[in-house]
């Protein structure tokens, strides 16, 4: 768990240090972010130990550059943040239900990442 917290803090620092500019994500990056969102949901539900998390994280981001991984991780966190939007801290049951539904959805099914997507901000 320490590794994830340190990684998250370094990710936030890296993203904040980037110059403000338009951000375009390729379909490869969006697919990786969606895949990583599923990994984060499974981890939050307690389904993954550290080794499994690291393995699935590496599988999700593949051979992408560190800069791409930072953006992908931020996007994946955005999926989870959006999923849990409006859930107060005392409602763990609701949060777990939403995470479980997402984890079991077609978005997290094996092969679901084959859809082509692009987004420009």
């Amino acid at each position: 768990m320490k590794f994830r917290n340190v990684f998250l803090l370094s990710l936030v620092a890296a993203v904040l240090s980037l110059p403000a500019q338009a951000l375009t994500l390729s379909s490869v990056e969006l697919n990786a972010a969606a895949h990583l969102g599923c990994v984060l949901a499974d981890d939050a539900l307690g389904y993954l130990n550290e080794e499994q998390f690291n393995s699935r994280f590496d599988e999700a981001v593949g051979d992408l550059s560190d800069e791409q991984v930072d953006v992908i991780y931020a996007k994946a966190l955005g999926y989870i943040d959006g999923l849990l939007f409006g859930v107060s801290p005392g409602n763990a049951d609701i949060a777990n239900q939403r995470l479980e539904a997402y984890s079991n959805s077609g978005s997290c099914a094996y092969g679901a990442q084959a859809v082509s997507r692009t987004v420009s901000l």
Side-chain angles (χ1 to χ4, degrees), residues 17-29:
S17 68
L18 294 174
Q21 61 185 10
L23 176 65
T24 301
L25 298 175
S26 70
S27 62
V28 170
E29 292 165 328

Side-chain angles (χ1 to χ4, degrees), residues 7-8 15 32 56 68 84 86 105 108 114-115:
F7 184 79
L8 180 57
V15 170
R56 288 189 55 197
Q68 288 172 304
L84 299 178
S105 72
C108 291
V115 177

